[in-house]
Amino acid sequence: MQKNPKLTRNKRRNAVRLTEKASQTLQDVLDAPSQPTATPPPQQAAPPRPPTQRQLKRQLRAERTQEVRLQKAPLAEKKVADSEFIKSQFHAFYDAKTGTYSKAHQQGQVRLYKNMSMFDSRYLQEPMSDPDLVFEYAKDDRFDLQAQNHAYDYPTALVKGDYFHFVNNYLEVPDKYLTRRLVVNTYSQESAVKLTDALIELYDDDEVGGSISEFKTFLSAVPLAETPKADKVVVYYHPDETVTDSDRVGTKIAQVITSVLDEKERDPNLAPFYEHIATGIGWSDEVKTNSFTTIRQQLIERVVEENPHVTDEEEFYNLVMDKFRRYRVDTENTHQYMVTGTSVPGPKIT
């Protein structure tokens, strides 16, 4: 694989600059006093009327039902899990007795993305043991390291918590080809770092290295109370479409994941609609328009916006499936799209 000399020189120059400033800058951010929260101006409008005891009991019952279904869904067959999750959202948006959408249920829209992707906060309770690893990663010529929300400002990204993208500098497959993602949920950042190191080595693999466009890992240098997304590590890759009986690339990546992380290190909770292939590992087809979960969140929200009255869970499920179908999400395989087809089977753990 031919390296780009100019790219390599720029990477090394940036790495030296980052390494020189890393320790001091990171410590400056850690030591910086927290900014006081501005006190909002007093509200002039009358406070909303508190909910009645009956409304509170109904809301609590709906939330408990939804929580039980979310816990059971990852253990069920995929189609059953899809159905259970969608039907649970009927109670988040509608009054189960009247079938009407009301302002009291508008918080359901706020919670929808969280319900679809965020399950626990254990991952961020204990930060990565060696944040300097990030600055070591930045020296590597095989990839360009960027924080999702903070670009090359690694210290701020580490303090606030962010996805770090390891973008392949020597990708061999054009972007127009079929793209997939493998998602991994881990209990700890130490497990995620261990997997990160193994995925970096895959860039040198002659069989699959040139087919991985990038991967990302969520990392933080301080304990955080927020609830993280379930996909702590995400690998984006291009399947080998010349092979029609297996996903050669995805299977090799999945095998590396299971060889590096024991089952006890992987959290089984994944966002709805992924195809599960092992504990804490799932996959889906990828499109450029938006993220996997955001696309499905937006389609469910459109159903709610277009239907102020829905009779029951079954009607809501059918409306969502119809919306999925109209926007080319494969209703039989909701982790895929009808426009991409299924000419290449999914990755497997063999």
Side-chain angles (χ1 to χ4, degrees), residues 219-238:
L219 298 172
S220 68
V222 296
L224 297 174
E226 66 187 71
T227 302
K229 292 178 63 178
D231 50 351
K232 310 303 192 304
V233 181
V234 184
V235 186
Y236 302 88
Y237 70 96
H238 299 286

Side-chain angles (χ1 to χ4, degrees), residues 100-117:
T100 56
Y101 174 78
S102 67
K103 291 182 179 180
H105 291 75
Q106 285 180 353
Q107 287 300 310
Q109 187 163 342
V110 176
R111 292 194 302 263
L112 179 57
Y113 188 84
K114 180 178 179 180
N115 288 344
M116 292 180 72
S117 61

Side-chain angles (χ1 to χ4, degrees), residues 165-340:
H165 289 247
F166 298 73
V167 183
N168 191 353
N169 281 333
Y170 306 108
L171 180 66
E172 296 176 345
V173 184
D175 284 342
K176 67 179 181 179
Y177 281 53
L178 176 63
T179 304
R180 285 178 173 169
R181 62 162 63 186
L182 272 166
V183 297
V184 186
N185 196 7
T186 71
Y187 286 117
S188 73
Q189 293 196 54
E190 291 308 300
S191 295
V193 168
K194 183 166 59 171
L195 179 56
T196 294
D197 291 338
L199 292 174
I200 289 173
E201 294 308 309
L202 270 182
Y203 282 146
D204 286 330
D205 188 287
D206 292 336
E207 294 183 16
V208 302
S211 298
I212 302 173
S213 57
E214 66 173 283
F215 71 90
K216 65 180 182 180
T217 306
F218 197 95
L219 298 172
S220 68
V222 296
L224 297 174
E226 66 187 71
T227 302
K229 292 178 63 178
D231 50 351
K232 310 303 192 304
V233 181
V234 184
V235 186
Y236 302 88
Y237 70 96
H238 299 286
D240 182 354
E241 296 184 72
T242 66
V243 180
T244 58
D245 61 348
S246 66
D247 183 350
R248 181 182 62 79
V249 178
T251 295
K252 176 66 177 289
I253 299 169
Q255 290 172 343
V256 168
I257 294 169
T258 55
S259 69
V260 171
L261 300 183
D262 293 335
E263 186 173 8
K264 63 184 179 181
E265 296 180 84
R266 293 179 261 128
D267 187 335
N269 289 301
L270 295 177
F273 308 116
Y274 279 111
E275 173 74 8
H276 293 227
I277 59 174
T279 300
I281 305 173
W283 75 276
S284 74
D285 282 344
E286 186 78 2
V287 294
K288 292 293 185 181
T289 54
N290 219 323
S291 76
F292 175 83
T293 298
T294 300
I295 289 172
R296 287 149 183 78
Q297 170 207 2
Q298 291 175 344
L299 293 177
I300 293 173
E301 288 175 351
R302 288 184 188 180
V303 168
V304 175
E305 292 167 2
E306 295 166 5
N307 297 274
H309 184 277
V310 176
T311 305
D312 53 26
E313 293 179 346
E314 195 65 33
E315 182 184 1
F316 185 68
Y317 172 77
N318 291 332
L319 287 168
V320 171
M321 286 293 99
D322 183 60
K323 182 65 70 176
F324 277 15
R325 194 176 297 109
R326 289 173 181 270
Y327 282 83
R328 311 299 289 172
V329 174
D330 188 339
T331 54
E332 294 298 314
N333 301 280
T334 52
H335 57 294
Q336 296 189 285
Y337 302 89
M338 289 183 278
V339 292
T340 59

